[in-house]
Amino acid sequence: MSNSKPKYKLTYFDGRGLAEPIRLIFAHAGVEYEDIRIPFSKLTDERRDELRLQYGTLPLLEIDGEVYSQAFPIMSYLAKKFDLTSTEEFENIRIEECIDQLRDYFNKWMPMFYESTPLEVKEKLRERITAVDTPVVMAKFNDILVKNNESGSPWFIGERMTWLDICIAHYTINFETSIYKEDLIKDFPAIKTLRQLVFDQPRIKEWIAKRPDTPF
């Protein structure tokens, strides 16, 4: 059996989006990988066939030649491999609960990223999510975080940073800078503090300082 390190190749669009938590996990773990970035205009049918897009979507993670797709299963796998899960079995259920809630919230925003969505529809969607969905979702997350903070931990769940912390940090800032255009968590200082703590992790901070500057 080979003891060589796995070779990782991540393929995504030229942006942060769904793939950035994967990059942040690699950064925090100090693991090298090939970061393939494809401009939207270059994802032709021929290129899709070359990439072996099983479900027609990016990102893809290739591990020693075997291709895996769907962002969150990839994150979950890497989190387990690089000790970004909880050491407690039932805390990992809570982490997955929050991840699914975050995915539901993220999916509400998705039409905002499509060029085919009319501008008036985007504006109405933005107003609704801002007024209704965001306060509810962020309040729930804030309550979970504050409760864990009261136990002496700075993280969302458990005693160490997990992939949930990374995902919350990334998606809140990415929504703000790409489509929200204002402080998403201004009323939730615990989340704001947590986000900065994640981004201040040495290897993550180093990656953020040198990563390509993209609009999303």
Side-chain angles (χ1 to χ4, degrees), residues 144-160 197:
I144 293 169
L145 178 55
V146 168
K147 183 177 181 180
N148 203 46
N149 289 167
E150 289 171 351
S151 73
S153 172
W155 307 110
F156 251 97
I157 293 174
E159 297 298 319
R160 66 184 188 181
L197 183 60

Side-chain angles (χ1 to χ4, degrees), residues 34-51:
E34 191 175 354
D35 189 13
I36 305 297
R37 293 167 179 258
I38 302 175
F40 278 105
S41 61
K42 301 296 183 181
L43 191 60
T44 61
D45 289 341
E46 181 179 357
R47 189 74 172 105
R48 288 175 184 272
D49 291 339
E50 291 175 1
L51 291 170

